[in-house]
Amino acid sequence: MASALRNVSLAKENPDFDDTVGADAVLEGLGYQQGGTLIVGIESGGPPVMVYSWIAVCLLTLAVAYSFAEMCSAYPVAGGQYSWVAVLAPPRWARGLSWVTGWFMIVGIVAMGAVNNFIGANFVLGMANLSHGAFVIQRWHTVLLTYMITVLAMAVNIFLPHLLNRISKAVLLWNILSFLVVVITILAANDHKQPASFVFRDFQNETGFNAAMGTIVGLLQTFFGMCK
């Protein structure tokens, strides 16, 4: 199997750099994920935990990325982790460990897809409530809208795969522009700005747990954005 992986033939037409970055922006949805879980970090440690945990998680993620890059350069296969496990694990355990790794990947993909659709539904309903104060969000609204987003994404992948590259580029552009618009608007419109100590020093814990447990809960906000 190792020799087969070493001799794998790569596609003749590699995607462009902007296609790759755009697809990554779609898969990660980093800004939306962080926005959807922002309240977790605010209540569990506050800005200091969010800032310092982001730096720490980025460093740890880079370490993982470098390890994956080494394996990817040696075995550039679409299977990814479960193929690498099949090659690098001891022969006695390779098949079983590869099977378990593959199922962990599938469960993670399904779970993250459900969470992302749920967050998207909450964003849409939140905007509806913000625009129309009389509108009351019900739990079944969220469920139905989550299903609708799931079906829409499935339909695009089945019937409109030729548009995926264009959608990826559009999402990449939307991510960049929306980030700039939000940051500039907040800085320009907010007259009451917090001091630097609020961002880098003042610990806030509204979870009801002790400081250590509150910090651990606050780490979830950063980990969720980088878990993909």
Side-chain angles (χ1 to χ4, degrees):
M1 182 174 181
S3 60
L5 290 175
R6 292 190 183 96
N7 296 327
V8 64
S9 59
L10 301 179
K12 295 182 179 179
E13 296 184 3
N14 294 322
D16 297 333
F17 176 76
D18 52 350
D19 293 337
T20 304
V21 176
D24 181 71
V26 173
L27 294 173
E28 292 292 337
L30 191 56
Y32 310 118
Q33 291 185 21
Q34 293 299 308
T37 59
L38 195 62
I39 189 62
V40 176
I42 293 175
E43 294 181 344
S44 310
V49 171
M50 297 168 67
V51 171
Y52 297 127
S53 66
W54 182 256
I55 297 174
V57 169
C58 284
L59 293 176
L60 293 174
T61 302
L62 283 175
V64 175
Y66 290 147
S67 301
F68 276 1
E70 180 68 23
M71 290 185 287
C72 188
S73 64
Y75 309 109
V77 293
Q81 290 93 321
Y82 68 83
S83 296
W84 301 334
V85 170
V87 175
L88 300 176
R92 180 181 178 183
W93 305 99
R95 178 174 295 181
L97 292 177
S98 176
W99 184 85
V100 172
T101 303
W103 269 107
F104 270 119
M105 292 172 60
I106 291 295
V107 171
I109 291 172
V110 172
M112 288 305 303
V115 169
N116 290 336
N117 294 342
F118 176 77
I119 291 176
N122 276 280
F123 274 144
V124 173
L125 293 173
M127 291 301 299
N129 178 259
L130 184 64
S131 302
H132 306 280
F135 174 69
V136 179
I137 301 175
Q138 303 292 338
R139 286 184 294 181
W140 62 270
H141 293 162
T142 307
V143 173
L144 288 182
L145 192 54
T146 301
Y147 287 164
M148 188 188 75
I149 294 174
T150 303
V151 172
L152 178 62
M154 180 183 66
V156 170
N157 280 274
I158 293 176
F159 301 109
L160 301 172
H162 58 284
L163 297 179
L164 291 179
N165 277 341
R166 296 181 182 179
I167 294 174
S168 298
K169 293 178 181 178
V171 171
L172 174 62
L173 182 62
W174 176 264
N175 271 276
I176 296 173
L177 292 179
S178 61
F179 172 79
L180 294 175
V181 169
V182 170
V183 171
I184 293 174
T185 302
I186 291 176
L187 292 176
N190 185 15
D191 296 329
H192 177 68
K193 295 181 174 60
Q194 298 288 351
S197 60
F198 175 80
V199 177
F200 299 105
R201 191 181 62 193
D202 294 347
F203 182 84
Q204 304 175 38
N205 184 10
E206 301 178 9
T207 62
F209 300 113
N210 57 38
M213 183 59 69
T215 301
I216 293 174
V217 174
L219 294 175
L220 295 176
Q221 193 262 341
T222 305
F223 280 122
F224 182 74
M226 300 296 289
C227 65
K228 292 183 181 181

Short mmCIF file of all heavy atoms in Angstrom, two decimals, residues 114-156:
data_model
loop_
_atom_site.label_atom_id
_atom_site.label_comp_id
_atom_site.label_asym_id
_atom_site.label_seq_id
_atom_site.Cartn_x
_atom_site.Cartn_y
_atom_site.Cartn_z
N ALA A 114 -23.37 20.28 10.69
CA ALA A 114 -24.60 20.57 11.42
C ALA A 114 -24.46 21.85 12.25
O ALA A 114 -25.37 22.69 12.30
CB ALA A 114 -24.96 19.39 12.33
N VAL A 115 -23.32 22.01 12.91
CA VAL A 115 -23.09 23.21 13.73
C VAL A 115 -23.07 24.46 12.87
O VAL A 115 -23.68 25.49 13.23
CB VAL A 115 -21.79 23.06 14.53
CG1 VAL A 115 -21.41 24.39 15.18
CG2 VAL A 115 -21.92 21.99 15.59
N ASN A 116 -22.38 24.40 11.74
CA ASN A 116 -22.31 25.58 10.87
C ASN A 116 -23.69 25.97 10.33
O ASN A 116 -24.02 27.17 10.26
CB ASN A 116 -21.35 25.33 9.71
CG ASN A 116 -19.91 25.27 10.16
OD1 ASN A 116 -19.55 25.83 11.19
ND2 ASN A 116 -19.07 24.60 9.40
N ASN A 117 -24.47 24.99 9.95
CA ASN A 117 -25.83 25.28 9.47
C ASN A 117 -26.70 25.86 10.59
O ASN A 117 -27.51 26.76 10.36
CB ASN A 117 -26.47 24.01 8.91
CG ASN A 117 -25.77 23.53 7.66
OD1 ASN A 117 -25.04 24.27 7.02
ND2 ASN A 117 -25.98 22.27 7.32
N PHE A 118 -26.50 25.35 11.79
CA PHE A 118 -27.24 25.86 12.95
C PHE A 118 -26.86 27.31 13.24
O PHE A 118 -27.74 28.16 13.50
CB PHE A 118 -26.96 24.97 14.16
CG PHE A 118 -27.59 25.45 15.43
CD1 PHE A 118 -28.95 25.26 15.66
CD2 PHE A 118 -26.83 26.09 16.40
CE1 PHE A 118 -29.54 25.70 16.84
CE2 PHE A 118 -27.41 26.53 17.58
CZ PHE A 118 -28.76 26.33 17.81
N ILE A 119 -25.58 27.61 13.18
CA ILE A 119 -25.13 28.99 13.40
C ILE A 119 -25.66 29.91 12.31
O ILE A 119 -26.11 31.03 12.58
CB ILE A 119 -23.59 29.05 13.46
CG1 ILE A 119 -23.09 28.37 14.73
CG2 ILE A 119 -23.10 30.50 13.41
CD1 ILE A 119 -21.58 28.31 14.83
N GLY A 120 -25.64 29.44 11.06
CA GLY A 120 -26.19 30.24 9.97
C GLY A 120 -27.67 30.54 10.17
O GLY A 120 -28.12 31.67 9.92
N ALA A 121 -28.42 29.54 10.61
CA ALA A 121 -29.85 29.75 10.86
C ALA A 121 -30.06 30.77 11.97
O ALA A 121 -30.95 31.63 11.88
CB ALA A 121 -30.51 28.42 11.23
N ASN A 122 -29.25 30.71 13.02
CA ASN A 122 -29.37 31.67 14.10
C ASN A 122 -29.02 33.08 13.66
O ASN A 122 -29.65 34.05 14.10
CB ASN A 122 -28.47 31.25 15.27
CG ASN A 122 -29.12 30.23 16.18
OD1 ASN A 122 -29.94 30.57 17.03
ND2 ASN A 122 -28.78 28.97 15.98
N PHE A 123 -28.05 33.21 12.77
CA PHE A 123 -27.70 34.53 12.25
C PHE A 123 -28.88 35.13 11.47
O PHE A 123 -29.23 36.31 11.64
CB PHE A 123 -26.48 34.44 11.33
CG PHE A 123 -25.17 34.52 12.05
CD1 PHE A 123 -24.09 33.78 11.62
CD2 PHE A 123 -25.02 35.33 13.16
CE1 PHE A 123 -22.88 33.84 12.28
CE2 PHE A 123 -23.81 35.41 13.84
CZ PHE A 123 -22.74 34.65 13.40
N VAL A 124 -29.49 34.33 10.60
CA VAL A 124 -30.61 34.82 9.80
C VAL A 124 -31.78 35.22 10.70
O VAL A 124 -32.37 36.30 10.54
CB VAL A 124 -31.05 33.75 8.79
CG1 VAL A 124 -32.32 34.18 8.07
CG2 VAL A 124 -29.93 33.49 7.78
N LEU A 125 -32.11 34.37 11.65
CA LEU A 125 -33.22 34.68 12.55
C LEU A 125 -32.90 35.87 13.45
O LEU A 125 -33.77 36.68 13.77
CB LEU A 125 -33.56 33.46 13.41
CG LEU A 125 -34.13 32.26 12.66
CD1 LEU A 125 -34.25 31.05 13.58
CD2 LEU A 125 -35.49 32.60 12.06
N GLY A 126 -31.64 35.99 13.86
CA GLY A 126 -31.24 37.14 14.65
C GLY A 126 -31.39 38.44 13.89
O GLY A 126 -31.84 39.46 14.45
N MET A 127 -31.03 38.43 12.62
CA MET A 127 -31.20 39.63 11.80
C MET A 127 -32.67 39.95 11.60
O MET A 127 -33.08 41.12 11.60
CB MET A 127 -30.53 39.43 10.44
CG MET A 127 -29.01 39.39 10.51
SD MET A 127 -28.29 40.90 11.21
CE MET A 127 -28.86 42.11 10.02
N ALA A 128 -33.50 38.91 11.46
CA ALA A 128 -34.94 39.14 11.33
C ALA A 128 -35.52 39.76 12.59
O ALA A 128 -36.34 40.68 12.54
CB ALA A 128 -35.65 37.82 11.01
N ASN A 129 -35.08 39.27 13.74
CA ASN A 129 -35.53 39.82 15.01
C ASN A 129 -35.03 41.25 15.21
O ASN A 129 -35.74 42.10 15.76
CB ASN A 129 -35.07 38.93 16.15
CG ASN A 129 -35.47 39.47 17.51
OD1 ASN A 129 -34.64 40.07 18.20
ND2 ASN A 129 -36.71 39.26 17.90
N LEU A 130 -33.80 41.53 14.76
CA LEU A 130 -33.25 42.88 14.89
C LEU A 130 -34.00 43.86 14.01
O LEU A 130 -34.23 45.02 14.39
CB LEU A 130 -31.76 42.86 14.52
CG LEU A 130 -30.99 44.17 14.68
CD1 LEU A 130 -30.94 44.58 16.15
CD2 LEU A 130 -29.58 44.03 14.12
N SER A 131 -34.41 43.42 12.82
CA SER A 131 -35.12 44.31 11.89
C SER A 131 -36.60 44.45 12.26
O SER A 131 -37.20 45.50 12.00
CB SER A 131 -34.99 43.77 10.46
OG SER A 131 -33.64 43.67 10.09
N HIS A 132 -37.17 43.41 12.83
CA HIS A 132 -38.60 43.42 13.20
C HIS A 132 -38.72 42.99 14.66
O HIS A 132 -38.73 41.77 14.95
CB HIS A 132 -39.41 42.50 12.28
CG HIS A 132 -39.23 42.81 10.82
ND1 HIS A 132 -39.88 43.84 10.18
CD2 HIS A 132 -38.44 42.21 9.88
CE1 HIS A 132 -39.53 43.87 8.91
NE2 HIS A 132 -38.65 42.89 8.70
N GLY A 133 -38.76 43.95 15.55
CA GLY A 133 -38.76 43.65 16.98
C GLY A 133 -39.91 42.79 17.45
O GLY A 133 -39.80 42.08 18.46
N ALA A 134 -41.04 42.82 16.73
CA ALA A 134 -42.20 42.04 17.13
C ALA A 134 -42.04 40.55 16.81
O ALA A 134 -42.80 39.72 17.32
CB ALA A 134 -43.46 42.57 16.46
N PHE A 135 -41.06 40.24 15.97
CA PHE A 135 -40.85 38.85 15.58
C PHE A 135 -40.21 38.09 16.73
O PHE A 135 -39.16 38.46 17.24
CB PHE A 135 -39.97 38.77 14.33
CG PHE A 135 -39.59 37.37 13.93
CD1 PHE A 135 -40.54 36.50 13.44
CD2 PHE A 135 -38.28 36.94 14.05
CE1 PHE A 135 -40.19 35.21 13.08
CE2 PHE A 135 -37.92 35.65 13.69
CZ PHE A 135 -38.89 34.79 13.19
N VAL A 136 -40.83 37.00 17.14
CA VAL A 136 -40.33 36.17 18.23
C VAL A 136 -39.77 34.86 17.65
O VAL A 136 -40.49 34.13 16.95
CB VAL A 136 -41.43 35.85 19.26
CG1 VAL A 136 -40.89 34.96 20.37
CG2 VAL A 136 -42.00 37.15 19.83
N ILE A 137 -38.52 34.59 17.93
CA ILE A 137 -37.87 33.40 17.40
C ILE A 137 -38.32 32.18 18.20
O ILE A 137 -38.23 32.15 19.42
CB ILE A 137 -36.34 33.54 17.46
CG1 ILE A 137 -35.88 34.75 16.66
CG2 ILE A 137 -35.66 32.28 16.95
CD1 ILE A 137 -34.40 35.04 16.78
N GLN A 138 -38.80 31.18 17.48
CA GLN A 138 -39.20 29.91 18.09
C GLN A 138 -38.16 28.83 17.75
O GLN A 138 -37.44 28.93 16.75
CB GLN A 138 -40.57 29.47 17.58
CG GLN A 138 -41.67 30.50 17.80
CD GLN A 138 -42.02 30.68 19.27
OE1 GLN A 138 -41.76 29.80 20.09
NE2 GLN A 138 -42.62 31.82 19.60
N ARG A 139 -38.11 27.81 18.57
CA ARG A 139 -37.12 26.75 18.33
C ARG A 139 -37.36 26.05 17.00
O ARG A 139 -36.40 25.67 16.31
CB ARG A 139 -37.17 25.74 19.48
CG ARG A 139 -36.53 26.25 20.77
CD ARG A 139 -36.49 25.20 21.85
NE ARG A 139 -37.83 24.84 22.30
CZ ARG A 139 -38.07 23.94 23.25
NH1 ARG A 139 -37.08 23.29 23.83
NH2 ARG A 139 -39.32 23.67 23.62
N TRP A 140 -38.62 25.89 16.62
CA TRP A 140 -38.88 25.21 15.36
C TRP A 140 -38.47 26.06 14.17
O TRP A 140 -38.18 25.53 13.08
CB TRP A 140 -40.35 24.80 15.26
CG TRP A 140 -41.35 25.93 15.27
CD1 TRP A 140 -41.95 26.48 16.35
CD2 TRP A 140 -41.86 26.62 14.12
NE1 TRP A 140 -42.81 27.48 15.97
CE2 TRP A 140 -42.77 27.58 14.60
CE3 TRP A 140 -41.65 26.52 12.75
CZ2 TRP A 140 -43.46 28.45 13.75
CZ3 TRP A 140 -42.34 27.36 11.90
CH2 TRP A 140 -43.23 28.32 12.40
N HIS A 141 -38.43 27.39 14.34
CA HIS A 141 -37.89 28.25 13.28
C HIS A 141 -36.44 27.87 12.99
O HIS A 141 -36.03 27.73 11.82
CB HIS A 141 -37.95 29.72 13.69
CG HIS A 141 -39.34 30.26 13.82
ND1 HIS A 141 -39.63 31.41 14.53
CD2 HIS A 141 -40.53 29.80 13.35
CE1 HIS A 141 -40.93 31.65 14.48
NE2 HIS A 141 -41.50 30.67 13.77
N THR A 142 -35.67 27.74 14.07
CA THR A 142 -34.25 27.41 13.91
C THR A 142 -34.06 26.05 13.26
O THR A 142 -33.21 25.88 12.38
CB THR A 142 -33.55 27.42 15.29
OG1 THR A 142 -33.81 28.68 15.94
CG2 THR A 142 -32.06 27.24 15.14
N VAL A 143 -34.87 25.07 13.68
CA VAL A 143 -34.75 23.73 13.12
C VAL A 143 -35.06 23.72 11.62
O VAL A 143 -34.29 23.18 10.80
CB VAL A 143 -35.68 22.75 13.86
CG1 VAL A 143 -35.69 21.39 13.17
CG2 VAL A 143 -35.25 22.61 15.32
N LEU A 144 -36.17 24.33 11.24
CA LEU A 144 -36.56 24.34 9.83
C LEU A 144 -35.55 25.10 8.97
O LEU A 144 -35.23 24.68 7.85
CB LEU A 144 -37.96 24.95 9.67
CG LEU A 144 -39.13 24.10 10.17
CD1 LEU A 144 -40.45 24.80 9.90
CD2 LEU A 144 -39.12 22.72 9.51
N LEU A 145 -35.07 26.23 9.48
CA LEU A 145 -34.10 27.01 8.70
C LEU A 145 -32.77 26.27 8.58
O LEU A 145 -32.11 26.34 7.53
CB LEU A 145 -33.89 28.38 9.36
CG LEU A 145 -33.12 29.42 8.53
CD1 LEU A 145 -33.77 29.60 7.17
CD2 LEU A 145 -33.08 30.75 9.28
N THR A 146 -32.39 25.54 9.62
CA THR A 146 -31.18 24.72 9.54
C THR A 146 -31.34 23.64 8.47
O THR A 146 -30.42 23.39 7.68
CB THR A 146 -30.89 24.06 10.90
OG1 THR A 146 -30.71 25.08 11.89
CG2 THR A 146 -29.64 23.20 10.83
N TYR A 147 -32.50 23.00 8.43
CA TYR A 147 -32.76 22.00 7.39
C TYR A 147 -32.71 22.63 6.00
O TYR A 147 -32.18 22.04 5.05
CB TYR A 147 -34.13 21.35 7.61
CG TYR A 147 -34.20 20.40 8.77
CD1 TYR A 147 -35.42 19.99 9.30
CD2 TYR A 147 -33.04 19.89 9.36
CE1 TYR A 147 -35.49 19.12 10.38
CE2 TYR A 147 -33.10 19.02 10.43
CZ TYR A 147 -34.33 18.64 10.94
OH TYR A 147 -34.40 17.78 12.00
N MET A 148 -33.27 23.84 5.87
CA MET A 148 -33.29 24.50 4.57
C MET A 148 -31.88 24.80 4.08
O MET A 148 -31.55 24.60 2.91
CB MET A 148 -34.10 25.79 4.65
CG MET A 148 -34.34 26.44 3.30
SD MET A 148 -35.09 28.07 3.41
CE MET A 148 -33.67 29.03 3.96
N ILE A 149 -31.03 25.28 4.98
CA ILE A 149 -29.64 25.57 4.61
C ILE A 149 -28.92 24.29 4.21
O ILE A 149 -28.15 24.27 3.23
CB ILE A 149 -28.92 26.26 5.79
CG1 ILE A 149 -29.53 27.64 6.05
CG2 ILE A 149 -27.42 26.39 5.50
CD1 ILE A 149 -28.96 28.33 7.28
N THR A 150 -29.19 23.20 4.92
CA THR A 150 -28.57 21.92 4.60
C THR A 150 -28.99 21.44 3.21
O THR A 150 -28.15 21.01 2.40
CB THR A 150 -28.95 20.87 5.65
OG1 THR A 150 -28.57 21.32 6.95
CG2 THR A 150 -28.28 19.54 5.36
N VAL A 151 -30.28 21.51 2.92
CA VAL A 151 -30.78 21.08 1.61
C VAL A 151 -30.24 21.98 0.51
O VAL A 151 -29.87 21.50 -0.58
CB VAL A 151 -32.32 21.08 1.61
CG1 VAL A 151 -32.86 20.83 0.21
CG2 VAL A 151 -32.86 20.04 2.58
N LEU A 152 -30.15 23.28 0.75
CA LEU A 152 -29.62 24.20 -0.25
C LEU A 152 -28.16 23.87 -0.56
O LEU A 152 -27.76 23.83 -1.74
CB LEU A 152 -29.75 25.63 0.25
CG LEU A 152 -29.18 26.72 -0.67
CD1 LEU A 152 -29.93 26.74 -1.99
CD2 LEU A 152 -29.27 28.09 0.01
N ALA A 153 -27.35 23.64 0.48
CA ALA A 153 -25.95 23.29 0.26
C ALA A 153 -25.82 21.98 -0.50
O ALA A 153 -24.98 21.84 -1.39
CB ALA A 153 -25.23 23.22 1.60
N MET A 154 -26.67 21.00 -0.16
CA MET A 154 -26.64 19.72 -0.86
C MET A 154 -27.01 19.89 -2.32
O MET A 154 -26.37 19.30 -3.21
CB MET A 154 -27.59 18.75 -0.18
CG MET A 154 -27.63 17.37 -0.82
SD MET A 154 -28.84 16.27 -0.03
CE MET A 154 -30.38 17.10 -0.44
N ALA A 155 -28.03 20.71 -2.61
CA ALA A 155 -28.46 20.92 -3.98
C ALA A 155 -27.37 21.59 -4.81
O ALA A 155 -27.14 21.23 -5.98
CB ALA A 155 -29.74 21.77 -4.00
N VAL A 156 -26.67 22.55 -4.23
CA VAL A 156 -25.59 23.22 -4.96
C VAL A 156 -24.48 22.23 -5.29
O VAL A 156 -23.95 22.22 -6.41
CB VAL A 156 -25.04 24.40 -4.13
CG1 VAL A 156 -23.76 24.95 -4.77
CG2 VAL A 156 -26.08 25.50 -4.01
#
